[in-house]
């Protein structure tokens, strides 16, 4: 049943490439925020541009914009390097090993399409190697943001070692350090019980040209048939503290890479089917890391580009009414095709859509509905209240805004994002927000014009934290301070919203 639908769209993806490049214009975004948020825009730019060049599908205007954003992103990423080596979310010491390894993967992939200073890659590799233990392993970070790999001593060391080793080998580093790390992974691999660590270790071994078939077989045994594909449940938090749907997307992406490398093509494609089924209508996945890994997997699987043997047709039946079929030919096998079904939708009435594929083709579909529905009121794990010391003032006056966030679960929250709405006709006094950074309440802040973004390392359980900042009224206005949002950076589905407030600026 479709409640009050404004739009119903059927999207047909004749191949993996078409799905991977869906919304490519939106993928090329200007970088901002912390190291990982900057990466969430910069890394896809590099992956997509690399693919477009290899497949001969690049366009001059698209390439120019991608290169501009890559330049901005690259320079911004370098600003997060810590004195002495390594990277951290906000460029503060000490550096974080797993985040540095992620950056190393990014720089190595970026170097295929953009001039990355080889010294950056080399010193990042060397810094990681300097953190290796005598037995070849890497100890998870216990400082900065809580590292999700540190579930216990064994899984933490194995997961961190696998992630860092995979990054080192993928970036072209081989030597005594990687040999020792690979040896450690091989010697302890029989003890792994979760799909995330199995997929990481498998990719590390495969990248080094070593046998990982027994690990991949165990990985397959943990797969769950869901959403028309294979989901690989993470079994805990990931290297970047993801949990829930985001963690499963990360794990399934890594699993698909390992499956393709070991010739398990049908299962690999089934994992990609799950990734496509979990993609949002806007073309992204639940978090920054899951989006990058999913896109990396899809583009890696799309090396063949269009299908020269495609010759099929998709019949569409909507509630007994036939819609013009969609033909899939070699020249259209890498193009997304969209059918508007809005005319068939009636509020509250079930809509039956049947698709039948004939001929030689392999396709996925996505049914997107855009509707206004009552907002559910779930049990809040996160609370946010925004108030002001006054609601009536004159031009050039300042008022104090107070955002109070509370985490209502017994365990630590991980990074929290506060997106605080800026009322029309007001501007934030940056010096007041800089004090929050100086006080250690905020790791970094970003002003976008419409929002003040605060990056908070973590909230302690059940302890309200207040973030005070100043707003200046620029001119007379009767405005509504927009709602503000708080959410977990690595579990964005855990979120809450504050109420709107009326403000009046009189002459």
């Amino acid at each position: 049943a479709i409640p009050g639908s404004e739009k119903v769209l059927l999207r047909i993806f004749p191949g993996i490439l078409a799905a991977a490049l869906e919304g490519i214009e939106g993928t090329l975004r200007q970088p901002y925020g912390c190291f990982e948020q900057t990466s969430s825009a910069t890394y896809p730019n590099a992956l997509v541009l690399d693919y477009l060049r290899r497949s001969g599908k690049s366009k001059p205007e698209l390439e120019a914009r991608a290169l501009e954003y890559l330049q901005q992103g690259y320079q911004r990423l370098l600003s997060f390097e810590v004195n002495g080596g390594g990277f951290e979310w906000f460029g503060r010491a000490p550096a974080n090993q797993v985040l540095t390894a992620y950056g190393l993967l990014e720089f190595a992939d970026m170097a295929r399409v953009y001039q990355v200073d080889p010294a950056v890659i080399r010193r990042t590799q060397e810094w990681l190697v300097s953190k290796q233990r005598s037995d070849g392993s890497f100890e998870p970070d216990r400082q900065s943001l809580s590292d999700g790999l540190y579930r216990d001593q064994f899984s933490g060391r194995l997961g961190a070692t696998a992630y860092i080793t995979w990054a080192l080998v993928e970036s072209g580093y081989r030597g005594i350090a990687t040999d020792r790390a690979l040896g450690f992974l091989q010697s302890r691999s029989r003890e792994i019980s979760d799909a995330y660590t199995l997929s990481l270790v498998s990719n590390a071994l495969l990248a080094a040209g070593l046998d990982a078939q027994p690990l991949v077989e165990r990985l397959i045994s943990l797969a769950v048939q869901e959403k028309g594909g294979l989901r690989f449940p993470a079994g805990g938090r990931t290297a970047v503290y993801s949990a829930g749907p985001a963690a499963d997307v990360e794990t399934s992406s890594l699993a698909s890479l390992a499956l393709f490398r070991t010739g398990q093509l049908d299962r690999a494609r089934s994992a990609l089917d799950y990734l496509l089924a979990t993609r949002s209508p806007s073309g992204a996945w639940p978090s920054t890391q899951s989006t990058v890994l999913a896109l990396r997997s899809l583009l890696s699987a799309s090396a063949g580009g269009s299908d020269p043997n495609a010759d099929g047709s998709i019949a569409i039946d909507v509630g007994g009414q036939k819609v013009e079929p969609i033909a899939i030919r070699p020249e259209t096998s890498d193009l997304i095709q969209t059918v508007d079904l809005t005319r068939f939708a009636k509020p509250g009435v079930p809509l039956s859509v049947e698709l039948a594929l004939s001929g030689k083709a392999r396709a996925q579909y996505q049914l997107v509905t855009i509707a206004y529905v009552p907002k559910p009121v779930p049990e809040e794990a996160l609370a946010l209240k925004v108030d002001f010391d006054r609601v009536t003032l004159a031009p050039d006056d300042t008022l104090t805004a107070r955002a109070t966030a509370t985490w209502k679960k017994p365990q630590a929250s991980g990074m929290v994002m506060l997106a605080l709405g800026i009322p029309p006709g007001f501007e934030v006094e940056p010096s007041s927000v800089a004090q929050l950074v100086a006080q250690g309440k905020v790791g970094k802040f970003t002003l976008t014009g419409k929002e003040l973004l605060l990056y908070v390392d973590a909230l302690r359980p059940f302890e309200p934290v207040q973030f005070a900042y100043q707003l200046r009224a620029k001119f007379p206005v009767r405005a509504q301070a927009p709602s503000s949002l708080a959410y977990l950076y690595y579990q964005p589905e855990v979120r809450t919203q504050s109420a709107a407030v009326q403000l009046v600026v009189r002459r």
Side-chain angles (χ1 to χ4, degrees):
I2 302 176
S5 292
E6 292 294 316
K7 205 81 171 173
V8 180
L9 302 175
L10 173 65
R11 293 174 180 164
I12 300 295
F13 308 110
I16 292 172
L17 172 61
L21 298 184
E22 180 199 4
I24 185 173
E25 293 288 339
T27 299
L28 302 179
R29 292 179 291 124
Q30 191 167 12
Y32 69 96
C34 68
F35 182 93
E36 195 176 355
Q37 200 165 32
T38 300
S39 297
S40 72
T42 306
Y43 207 161
N45 287 345
L47 294 173
V48 169
L49 183 57
D50 179 47
Y51 178 81
L52 291 176
R53 285 183 176 180
R54 285 188 288 110
S55 62
K57 299 177 183 296
S58 185
K59 300 176 183 178
E61 65 277 9
L62 203 63
E63 180 150 335
R65 185 150 59 95
L67 287 172
E68 178 186 355
Y69 288 168
L70 278 175
Q71 180 181 15
Q72 295 175 15
Y74 175 61
Q75 294 301 324
R76 187 173 178 84
L77 288 171
L78 294 182
S79 71
F80 297 107
E81 189 172 13
V82 176
N83 288 335
F87 291 83
E88 197 264 352
W89 282 265
F90 309 112
R92 306 166 303 187
N96 184 278
Q97 295 174 96
V98 167
L99 189 72
T100 300
Y102 173 60
L104 179 59
L105 284 168
E106 181 176 8
F107 288 132
D109 284 338
M110 192 188 303
R112 292 200 292 268
V113 294
Y114 184 79
Q115 186 60 47
V116 174
D117 185 354
V120 172
I121 294 177
R122 185 174 60 253
R123 67 173 177 260
T124 302
Q125 293 169 332
E126 291 172 350
W127 182 84
L128 285 170
V129 168
S130 72
K131 299 298 178 181
Q132 190 175 38
R133 293 163 57 95
S134 59
D135 64 354
S137 69
F138 291 86
E139 187 77 13
D141 296 283
R142 302 196 195 193
Q143 72 284 335
S144 191
L145 299 180
S146 298
D147 195 321
L149 290 174
Y150 207 82
R151 299 190 291 271
D152 56 62
Q153 181 66 23
F154 169 70
S155 63
R157 287 177 64 203
L158 202 64
T161 303
Y163 195 100
I164 294 168
T165 305
W166 179 48
L168 286 168
V169 176
E170 286 276 357
S171 68
Y173 185 95
R174 287 303 299 267
I176 295 174
T178 48
D179 290 343
R180 289 166 55 208
L182 292 164
F184 174 83
L185 294 175
Q186 289 175 313
S187 68
R188 306 298 297 272
S189 61
R190 292 184 180 181
E191 303 170 63
I192 306 172
S193 59
D194 66 279
Y196 181 74
T197 309
L198 274 172
S199 62
L200 272 180
V201 175
S202 298
N203 276 292
L205 296 177
L206 291 167
L210 301 175
D211 178 35
Q213 193 63 45
L215 294 181
V216 174
E217 292 297 331
R218 283 161 54 200
L219 181 61
I220 292 170
S221 71
L222 297 175
V224 177
Q225 191 74 30
E226 188 175 306
K227 294 183 183 292
L230 284 180
R231 174 175 68 90
F232 291 82
R237 289 192 177 271
T238 70
V240 293
Y241 212 64
S242 296
D248 288 353
V249 169
E250 288 180 38
T251 305
S252 301
S253 299
L254 290 167
S256 71
L257 289 172
L259 290 167
F260 271 114
R261 280 181 161 173
T262 53
Q264 302 272 357
L265 301 185
D266 287 341
R267 289 190 174 96
R269 294 191 183 102
S270 188
L272 295 183
D273 287 341
Y274 166 76
L275 295 179
L276 295 174
T278 56
R279 194 175 197 175
S280 73
S282 64
W285 283 268
S287 67
T288 58
Q289 184 86 185
S290 61
T291 295
V292 166
L293 284 177
L295 188 59
R296 200 174 195 266
S297 300
L298 287 165
L299 291 177
S300 295
S302 304
S306 57
D307 182 359
N309 300 314
D311 186 14
S313 178
I314 298 177
I316 306 171
D317 183 294
V318 185
Q321 299 184 57
K322 302 294 183 182
V323 178
E324 185 176 352
I326 291 178
I328 302 177
R329 303 289 183 262
E331 63 272 15
T332 61
S333 65
D334 57 355
L335 299 177
I336 303 166
Q337 301 195 47
T338 302
V339 181
D340 192 338
L341 304 181
T342 305
R343 65 186 185 278
F344 299 104
K346 296 181 180 179
V349 179
L351 183 67
S352 173
V353 180
E354 295 184 10
L355 306 177
L357 174 64
S358 59
K360 183 183 295 185
R362 187 176 188 278
Q364 294 88 20
Y365 72 91
Q366 183 182 50
L367 189 64
V368 177
T369 63
I370 303 171
Y372 294 99
V373 296
K375 183 179 179 181
V377 184
E379 179 186 357
E380 281 195 335
L382 192 61
L384 177 66
K385 179 183 179 182
V386 179
D387 56 25
F388 305 93
D389 64 347
R390 53 179 170 158
V391 294
T392 303
L393 61 163
D396 288 325
D397 283 354
T398 60
L399 59 78
T400 298
R402 294 179 296 263
T404 304
T406 308
W407 176 242
K408 298 183 176 182
K409 295 289 184 179
Q411 71 277 12
S413 66
M415 188 191 287
V416 175
M417 288 291 297
L418 302 182
L420 307 176
I422 301 173
F426 286 78
E427 63 183 5
V428 175
E429 295 286 356
S431 60
S432 67
V433 190
Q435 290 179 10
L436 296 174
V437 178
Q439 295 166 1
K441 287 187 174 183
V442 173
K444 188 178 180 64
F445 73 89
T446 301
L447 285 168
T448 67
K450 294 183 179 180
E451 291 180 320
L452 167 61
L453 302 176
L454 302 182
Y455 301 76
V456 183
D457 283 351
L459 295 175
R460 294 181 181 275
F462 310 108
E463 294 183 13
V465 180
Q466 187 176 97
F467 305 87
Y469 55 98
Q470 269 70 55
L471 294 167
R472 186 181 69 83
K474 296 190 290 184
F475 45 74
V477 67
R478 182 181 294 272
Q480 179 172 279
S483 298
S484 294
L485 186 68
Y487 60 93
L488 298 188
Y489 190 85
Y490 295 113
Q491 279 182 273
E493 69 273 13
V494 179
R495 58 178 54 210
T496 189
Q497 191 170 313
S498 71
V501 177
Q502 288 290 138
L503 299 173
V504 178
V505 181
R506 295 195 175 101
R507 289 189 185 277

